[in-house]
Short mmCIF file of all heavy atoms in Angstrom, two decimals:
data_model
loop_
_atom_site.label_atom_id
_atom_site.label_comp_id
_atom_site.label_asym_id
_atom_site.label_seq_id
_atom_site.Cartn_x
_atom_site.Cartn_y
_atom_site.Cartn_z
N MET B 1 13.39 7.42 -2.45
CA MET B 1 12.77 8.42 -3.31
C MET B 1 12.25 9.55 -2.43
O MET B 1 11.62 9.30 -1.41
CB MET B 1 11.66 7.80 -4.08
CG MET B 1 10.95 8.75 -4.99
SD MET B 1 9.80 7.86 -6.05
CE MET B 1 8.33 8.78 -5.74
N HIS B 2 12.51 10.77 -2.81
CA HIS B 2 12.02 11.93 -2.08
C HIS B 2 11.36 12.87 -3.08
O HIS B 2 12.01 13.34 -4.02
CB HIS B 2 13.17 12.64 -1.39
CG HIS B 2 12.76 13.89 -0.67
ND1 HIS B 2 12.18 13.86 0.56
CD2 HIS B 2 12.79 15.17 -1.06
CE1 HIS B 2 11.91 15.12 0.93
NE2 HIS B 2 12.27 15.91 -0.05
N THR B 3 10.08 13.11 -2.89
CA THR B 3 9.36 14.04 -3.78
C THR B 3 8.55 14.97 -2.92
O THR B 3 7.87 14.55 -2.00
CB THR B 3 8.41 13.27 -4.70
OG1 THR B 3 9.16 12.29 -5.44
CG2 THR B 3 7.67 14.17 -5.65
N ARG B 4 8.64 16.25 -3.21
CA ARG B 4 7.86 17.24 -2.50
C ARG B 4 6.74 17.70 -3.42
O ARG B 4 6.97 18.09 -4.58
CB ARG B 4 8.71 18.43 -2.12
CG ARG B 4 7.98 19.51 -1.36
CD ARG B 4 8.92 20.66 -1.01
NE ARG B 4 8.20 21.70 -0.35
CZ ARG B 4 8.04 21.82 0.94
NH1 ARG B 4 8.56 20.90 1.75
NH2 ARG B 4 7.40 22.82 1.46
N ILE B 5 5.53 17.67 -2.90
CA ILE B 5 4.36 18.08 -3.67
C ILE B 5 3.65 19.21 -2.91
O ILE B 5 3.34 19.03 -1.73
CB ILE B 5 3.38 16.91 -3.88
CG1 ILE B 5 4.05 15.77 -4.62
CG2 ILE B 5 2.12 17.38 -4.59
CD1 ILE B 5 3.22 14.51 -4.68
N GLN B 6 3.44 20.31 -3.57
CA GLN B 6 2.71 21.40 -2.94
C GLN B 6 1.41 21.58 -3.76
O GLN B 6 1.48 21.83 -4.96
CB GLN B 6 3.51 22.69 -2.93
CG GLN B 6 2.79 23.79 -2.19
CD GLN B 6 3.73 24.97 -1.92
OE1 GLN B 6 4.92 24.90 -2.10
NE2 GLN B 6 3.16 26.07 -1.49
N LEU B 7 0.28 21.43 -3.09
CA LEU B 7 -1.00 21.50 -3.77
C LEU B 7 -1.51 22.94 -3.83
O LEU B 7 -1.36 23.69 -2.87
CB LEU B 7 -2.02 20.66 -3.03
CG LEU B 7 -1.71 19.15 -2.90
CD1 LEU B 7 -2.83 18.49 -2.11
CD2 LEU B 7 -1.52 18.52 -4.24
N ASP B 8 -2.11 23.25 -4.94
CA ASP B 8 -2.82 24.51 -5.08
C ASP B 8 -3.97 24.47 -4.06
O ASP B 8 -4.64 23.45 -3.92
CB ASP B 8 -3.35 24.64 -6.50
CG ASP B 8 -4.01 25.98 -6.76
OD1 ASP B 8 -5.08 26.24 -6.16
OD2 ASP B 8 -3.43 26.78 -7.54
N PRO B 9 -4.23 25.58 -3.38
CA PRO B 9 -5.35 25.60 -2.41
C PRO B 9 -6.70 25.23 -3.01
O PRO B 9 -7.58 24.75 -2.30
CB PRO B 9 -5.37 27.03 -1.89
CG PRO B 9 -3.98 27.55 -2.12
CD PRO B 9 -3.51 26.86 -3.37
N SER B 10 -6.87 25.40 -4.30
CA SER B 10 -8.16 25.07 -4.94
C SER B 10 -8.20 23.62 -5.39
O SER B 10 -9.25 23.16 -5.89
CB SER B 10 -8.42 25.99 -6.14
OG SER B 10 -7.43 25.77 -7.13
N ALA B 11 -7.12 22.85 -5.22
CA ALA B 11 -7.13 21.44 -5.62
C ALA B 11 -8.13 20.66 -4.78
O ALA B 11 -8.27 20.89 -3.58
CB ALA B 11 -5.75 20.86 -5.50
N GLU B 12 -8.80 19.72 -5.41
CA GLU B 12 -9.76 18.88 -4.75
C GLU B 12 -9.08 17.55 -4.45
O GLU B 12 -8.40 17.00 -5.30
CB GLU B 12 -10.97 18.67 -5.64
CG GLU B 12 -11.70 19.94 -5.96
CD GLU B 12 -12.83 19.73 -6.97
OE1 GLU B 12 -13.30 18.59 -7.12
OE2 GLU B 12 -13.23 20.71 -7.61
N THR B 13 -9.29 17.02 -3.25
CA THR B 13 -8.69 15.74 -2.88
C THR B 13 -9.80 14.81 -2.39
O THR B 13 -10.83 15.22 -1.87
CB THR B 13 -7.65 15.89 -1.76
OG1 THR B 13 -8.26 16.48 -0.60
CG2 THR B 13 -6.49 16.75 -2.19
N SER B 14 -9.54 13.53 -2.64
CA SER B 14 -10.46 12.49 -2.11
C SER B 14 -9.61 11.25 -1.84
O SER B 14 -8.48 11.13 -2.30
CB SER B 14 -11.56 12.20 -3.10
OG SER B 14 -11.05 11.69 -4.33
N VAL B 15 -10.16 10.34 -1.05
CA VAL B 15 -9.48 9.10 -0.73
C VAL B 15 -10.36 7.97 -1.23
O VAL B 15 -11.59 7.99 -1.00
CB VAL B 15 -9.22 8.99 0.79
CG1 VAL B 15 -8.59 7.64 1.11
CG2 VAL B 15 -8.35 10.11 1.28
N ARG B 16 -9.75 7.00 -1.89
CA ARG B 16 -10.51 5.84 -2.36
C ARG B 16 -9.71 4.58 -2.07
O ARG B 16 -8.50 4.62 -1.84
CB ARG B 16 -10.81 5.97 -3.86
CG ARG B 16 -9.58 5.92 -4.74
CD ARG B 16 -9.92 6.11 -6.19
NE ARG B 16 -8.72 6.04 -7.03
CZ ARG B 16 -8.62 6.47 -8.23
NH1 ARG B 16 -9.63 7.09 -8.80
NH2 ARG B 16 -7.48 6.32 -8.92
N ASP B 17 -10.42 3.46 -2.08
CA ASP B 17 -9.75 2.17 -1.87
C ASP B 17 -8.93 1.82 -3.10
O ASP B 17 -9.37 2.00 -4.23
CB ASP B 17 -10.80 1.09 -1.63
CG ASP B 17 -11.51 1.26 -0.30
OD1 ASP B 17 -10.91 1.81 0.64
OD2 ASP B 17 -12.68 0.83 -0.19
N GLY B 18 -7.73 1.33 -2.83
CA GLY B 18 -6.85 0.84 -3.91
C GLY B 18 -6.81 -0.65 -3.90
O GLY B 18 -7.67 -1.33 -3.34
N LYS B 19 -5.78 -1.20 -4.50
CA LYS B 19 -5.60 -2.65 -4.58
C LYS B 19 -4.90 -3.16 -3.34
O LYS B 19 -4.10 -2.47 -2.75
CB LYS B 19 -4.79 -3.02 -5.81
CG LYS B 19 -5.45 -2.66 -7.12
CD LYS B 19 -4.57 -3.02 -8.29
CE LYS B 19 -5.22 -2.61 -9.59
NZ LYS B 19 -4.37 -2.89 -10.74
N ASP B 20 -5.18 -4.40 -2.96
CA ASP B 20 -4.48 -5.08 -1.87
C ASP B 20 -4.50 -4.32 -0.55
O ASP B 20 -3.53 -4.27 0.16
CB ASP B 20 -3.03 -5.39 -2.28
CG ASP B 20 -2.95 -6.27 -3.51
OD1 ASP B 20 -3.79 -7.18 -3.65
OD2 ASP B 20 -2.04 -6.07 -4.33
N GLY B 21 -5.62 -3.67 -0.25
CA GLY B 21 -5.75 -2.97 1.05
C GLY B 21 -5.16 -1.58 1.07
O GLY B 21 -5.12 -0.94 2.13
N THR B 22 -4.62 -1.10 -0.05
CA THR B 22 -4.05 0.24 -0.06
C THR B 22 -5.15 1.29 -0.13
O THR B 22 -6.30 0.98 -0.42
CB THR B 22 -3.08 0.42 -1.23
OG1 THR B 22 -3.82 0.33 -2.46
CG2 THR B 22 -1.95 -0.55 -1.21
N LYS B 23 -4.78 2.51 0.14
CA LYS B 23 -5.66 3.65 -0.04
C LYS B 23 -5.01 4.58 -1.07
O LYS B 23 -3.77 4.66 -1.17
CB LYS B 23 -5.88 4.43 1.27
CG LYS B 23 -6.60 3.68 2.31
CD LYS B 23 -8.06 3.49 1.94
CE LYS B 23 -8.83 2.80 3.05
NZ LYS B 23 -10.23 2.59 2.73
N GLU B 24 -5.81 5.24 -1.86
CA GLU B 24 -5.29 6.17 -2.84
C GLU B 24 -5.82 7.57 -2.55
O GLU B 24 -7.01 7.75 -2.34
CB GLU B 24 -5.72 5.78 -4.28
CG GLU B 24 -5.16 4.44 -4.70
CD GLU B 24 -5.62 4.01 -6.06
OE1 GLU B 24 -6.65 4.52 -6.57
OE2 GLU B 24 -4.98 3.13 -6.63
N ILE B 25 -4.91 8.53 -2.48
CA ILE B 25 -5.30 9.92 -2.37
C ILE B 25 -5.32 10.48 -3.78
O ILE B 25 -4.31 10.46 -4.48
CB ILE B 25 -4.33 10.72 -1.49
CG1 ILE B 25 -4.26 10.13 -0.08
CG2 ILE B 25 -4.72 12.19 -1.44
CD1 ILE B 25 -3.20 10.71 0.81
N VAL B 26 -6.48 10.95 -4.20
CA VAL B 26 -6.62 11.45 -5.57
C VAL B 26 -6.66 12.98 -5.50
O VAL B 26 -7.36 13.56 -4.70
CB VAL B 26 -7.96 10.93 -6.20
CG1 VAL B 26 -8.12 11.46 -7.62
CG2 VAL B 26 -8.00 9.41 -6.17
N ILE B 27 -5.86 13.60 -6.33
CA ILE B 27 -5.73 15.07 -6.35
C ILE B 27 -6.14 15.57 -7.73
O ILE B 27 -5.57 15.18 -8.73
CB ILE B 27 -4.26 15.48 -6.05
CG1 ILE B 27 -3.81 14.85 -4.74
CG2 ILE B 27 -4.11 16.98 -6.04
CD1 ILE B 27 -2.30 14.75 -4.61
N LEU B 28 -7.11 16.44 -7.74
CA LEU B 28 -7.60 17.05 -8.97
C LEU B 28 -7.42 18.55 -8.91
O LEU B 28 -7.92 19.19 -7.99
CB LEU B 28 -9.08 16.71 -9.20
CG LEU B 28 -9.44 15.24 -9.26
CD1 LEU B 28 -10.96 15.06 -9.30
CD2 LEU B 28 -8.81 14.57 -10.45
N ASP B 29 -6.70 19.11 -9.89
CA ASP B 29 -6.49 20.53 -9.94
C ASP B 29 -7.45 21.15 -10.96
O ASP B 29 -7.30 20.92 -12.16
CB ASP B 29 -5.03 20.83 -10.33
CG ASP B 29 -4.69 22.30 -10.28
OD1 ASP B 29 -5.62 23.14 -10.16
OD2 ASP B 29 -3.50 22.63 -10.34
N PRO B 30 -8.46 21.88 -10.46
CA PRO B 30 -9.43 22.45 -11.40
C PRO B 30 -8.87 23.53 -12.31
O PRO B 30 -9.49 23.90 -13.31
CB PRO B 30 -10.51 23.02 -10.47
CG PRO B 30 -9.82 23.27 -9.17
CD PRO B 30 -8.72 22.25 -9.08
N ASN B 31 -7.69 24.08 -11.99
CA ASN B 31 -7.09 25.13 -12.78
C ASN B 31 -6.23 24.62 -13.93
O ASN B 31 -5.68 25.41 -14.71
CB ASN B 31 -6.25 26.09 -11.89
CG ASN B 31 -7.13 26.75 -10.86
OD1 ASN B 31 -8.22 27.19 -11.16
ND2 ASN B 31 -6.64 26.84 -9.64
N SER B 32 -6.07 23.31 -14.02
CA SER B 32 -5.26 22.74 -15.07
C SER B 32 -5.79 21.37 -15.42
O SER B 32 -6.76 20.87 -14.79
CB SER B 32 -3.78 22.66 -14.66
OG SER B 32 -3.61 21.65 -13.70
N GLU B 33 -5.15 20.70 -16.35
CA GLU B 33 -5.57 19.37 -16.73
C GLU B 33 -4.81 18.31 -15.90
O GLU B 33 -4.80 17.14 -16.23
CB GLU B 33 -5.26 19.14 -18.21
CG GLU B 33 -6.05 20.07 -19.12
CD GLU B 33 -7.55 19.83 -19.01
OE1 GLU B 33 -7.96 18.68 -18.98
OE2 GLU B 33 -8.29 20.82 -19.01
N CYS B 34 -4.14 18.73 -14.82
CA CYS B 34 -3.32 17.82 -14.04
C CYS B 34 -4.12 17.14 -12.94
O CYS B 34 -5.01 17.72 -12.35
CB CYS B 34 -2.18 18.58 -13.38
SG CYS B 34 -1.03 19.29 -14.56
N SER B 35 -3.77 15.89 -12.72
CA SER B 35 -4.29 15.15 -11.59
C SER B 35 -3.20 14.22 -11.12
O SER B 35 -2.20 14.01 -11.79
CB SER B 35 -5.55 14.37 -11.97
OG SER B 35 -5.23 13.38 -12.92
N GLY B 36 -3.35 13.71 -9.92
CA GLY B 36 -2.34 12.81 -9.40
C GLY B 36 -2.96 11.82 -8.44
O GLY B 36 -4.06 12.05 -7.89
N VAL B 37 -2.28 10.70 -8.22
CA VAL B 37 -2.72 9.68 -7.29
C VAL B 37 -1.52 9.28 -6.44
O VAL B 37 -0.46 9.01 -6.98
CB VAL B 37 -3.30 8.43 -8.00
CG1 VAL B 37 -3.65 7.36 -7.00
CG2 VAL B 37 -4.51 8.80 -8.83
N ILE B 38 -1.70 9.30 -5.14
CA ILE B 38 -0.67 8.83 -4.22
C ILE B 38 -1.22 7.56 -3.57
O ILE B 38 -2.26 7.60 -2.94
CB ILE B 38 -0.37 9.89 -3.12
CG1 ILE B 38 0.09 11.18 -3.82
CG2 ILE B 38 0.67 9.36 -2.15
CD1 ILE B 38 0.19 12.35 -2.84
N GLU B 39 -0.50 6.45 -3.73
CA GLU B 39 -0.95 5.19 -3.18
C GLU B 39 -0.20 4.95 -1.88
O GLU B 39 1.01 5.04 -1.80
CB GLU B 39 -0.66 4.03 -4.16
CG GLU B 39 -1.19 2.72 -3.71
CD GLU B 39 -0.98 1.63 -4.73
OE1 GLU B 39 -1.73 1.59 -5.72
OE2 GLU B 39 -0.03 0.86 -4.55
N LEU B 40 -0.95 4.62 -0.80
CA LEU B 40 -0.38 4.43 0.52
C LEU B 40 -0.84 3.09 1.09
O LEU B 40 -1.99 2.70 0.92
CB LEU B 40 -0.83 5.52 1.49
CG LEU B 40 -0.47 6.97 1.12
CD1 LEU B 40 -1.19 7.93 2.02
CD2 LEU B 40 1.02 7.16 1.17
N SER B 41 0.07 2.42 1.79
CA SER B 41 -0.34 1.22 2.53
C SER B 41 -1.13 1.67 3.75
O SER B 41 -1.07 2.84 4.15
CB SER B 41 0.92 0.44 2.97
OG SER B 41 1.60 1.17 3.99
N PRO B 42 -1.87 0.74 4.37
CA PRO B 42 -2.61 1.11 5.58
C PRO B 42 -1.69 1.68 6.66
O PRO B 42 -2.07 2.62 7.39
CB PRO B 42 -3.27 -0.19 6.02
CG PRO B 42 -3.42 -0.97 4.76
CD PRO B 42 -2.20 -0.63 3.95
N GLN B 43 -0.48 1.14 6.78
CA GLN B 43 0.46 1.63 7.77
C GLN B 43 0.94 3.05 7.47
O GLN B 43 1.08 3.88 8.36
CB GLN B 43 1.68 0.70 7.88
CG GLN B 43 1.34 -0.70 8.36
CD GLN B 43 0.82 -1.64 7.22
OE1 GLN B 43 0.75 -1.26 6.06
NE2 GLN B 43 0.42 -2.84 7.61
N GLN B 44 1.20 3.34 6.21
CA GLN B 44 1.64 4.67 5.82
C GLN B 44 0.52 5.69 6.07
O GLN B 44 0.79 6.78 6.58
CB GLN B 44 2.03 4.71 4.34
CG GLN B 44 3.29 3.95 4.04
CD GLN B 44 3.51 3.76 2.56
OE1 GLN B 44 2.57 3.50 1.78
NE2 GLN B 44 4.77 3.84 2.13
N LEU B 45 -0.71 5.33 5.73
CA LEU B 45 -1.82 6.25 5.95
C LEU B 45 -2.03 6.48 7.45
O LEU B 45 -2.24 7.62 7.88
CB LEU B 45 -3.09 5.69 5.33
CG LEU B 45 -4.34 6.58 5.43
CD1 LEU B 45 -4.09 7.94 4.77
CD2 LEU B 45 -5.53 5.90 4.80
N ALA B 46 -1.93 5.45 8.27
CA ALA B 46 -2.07 5.58 9.70
C ALA B 46 -0.99 6.50 10.28
O ALA B 46 -1.27 7.34 11.14
CB ALA B 46 -2.02 4.21 10.39
N ALA B 47 0.24 6.37 9.78
CA ALA B 47 1.34 7.22 10.24
C ALA B 47 1.08 8.70 9.91
O ALA B 47 1.33 9.58 10.72
CB ALA B 47 2.66 6.74 9.66
N ILE B 48 0.56 8.94 8.73
CA ILE B 48 0.26 10.33 8.30
C ILE B 48 -0.88 10.88 9.15
O ILE B 48 -0.79 12.02 9.67
CB ILE B 48 -0.11 10.39 6.82
CG1 ILE B 48 1.12 10.13 5.97
CG2 ILE B 48 -0.75 11.74 6.45
CD1 ILE B 48 0.83 9.95 4.50
N CYS B 49 -1.91 10.11 9.40
CA CYS B 49 -3.02 10.56 10.23
C CYS B 49 -2.57 10.84 11.66
O CYS B 49 -2.96 11.83 12.25
CB CYS B 49 -4.16 9.52 10.24
SG CYS B 49 -4.99 9.37 8.64
N GLU B 50 -1.70 9.99 12.18
CA GLU B 50 -1.19 10.20 13.54
C GLU B 50 -0.37 11.43 13.62
O GLU B 50 -0.51 12.23 14.55
CB GLU B 50 -0.39 8.98 13.97
CG GLU B 50 0.12 9.09 15.41
CD GLU B 50 0.89 7.84 15.84
OE1 GLU B 50 0.57 6.74 15.39
OE2 GLU B 50 1.82 8.01 16.65
N ALA B 51 0.51 11.66 12.63
CA ALA B 51 1.36 12.82 12.63
C ALA B 51 0.53 14.09 12.51
O ALA B 51 0.81 15.10 13.17
CB ALA B 51 2.37 12.76 11.48
N ALA B 52 -0.54 14.07 11.73
CA ALA B 52 -1.40 15.24 11.56
C ALA B 52 -2.18 15.54 12.84
O ALA B 52 -2.40 16.69 13.15
CB ALA B 52 -2.37 15.01 10.41
N SER B 53 -2.57 14.53 13.58
CA SER B 53 -3.34 14.76 14.80
C SER B 53 -2.47 15.31 15.91
O SER B 53 -2.96 15.97 16.82
CB SER B 53 -4.01 13.49 15.24
OG SER B 53 -3.08 12.53 15.72
N VAL B 54 -1.18 15.07 15.87
CA VAL B 54 -0.26 15.57 16.90
C VAL B 54 -0.03 17.07 16.71
O VAL B 54 0.10 17.79 17.67
CB VAL B 54 1.10 14.80 16.85
CG1 VAL B 54 2.13 15.46 17.74
CG2 VAL B 54 0.89 13.36 17.25
N GLN B 55 -0.05 17.51 15.47
CA GLN B 55 0.20 18.93 15.20
C GLN B 55 -1.03 19.68 15.48
O GLN B 55 -1.40 20.59 15.76
CB GLN B 55 0.63 19.13 13.75
CG GLN B 55 1.95 18.46 13.47
CD GLN B 55 2.38 18.66 12.05
OE1 GLN B 55 1.80 19.43 11.29
NE2 GLN B 55 3.38 17.94 11.63
#
């Protein structure tokens, strides 16, 4: 599965604990009624954090 998501700069994000050790990135768009949740395993979140720190 490949999905590209581009967030509005005014979107609010937070991270919360999910089920079974996962983390959830919660996205709230104040300009619309839309919200989203991205569920990541600890390994996926670590890979994203590592990639972000390299850039």
Side-chain angles (χ1 to χ4, degrees):
M1 180 173 127
H2 176 82
T3 303
R4 180 180 177 91
I5 300 171
Q6 185 167 349
L7 302 178
D8 185 292
S10 64
E12 299 173 21
T13 59
S14 63
V15 177
R16 66 183 183 199
D17 292 331
K19 297 179 182 177
D20 300 323
T22 63
K23 294 291 184 180
E24 296 178 342
I25 301 173
V26 181
I27 305 158
L28 302 173
D29 186 347
N31 297 319
S32 73
E33 297 297 318
C34 295
S35 65
V37 175
I38 302 170
E39 186 176 281
L40 300 170
S41 70
Q43 297 83 4
Q44 290 169 321
L45 183 59
I48 290 171
C49 292
E50 183 177 328
S53 70
V54 170
Q55 296 180 11

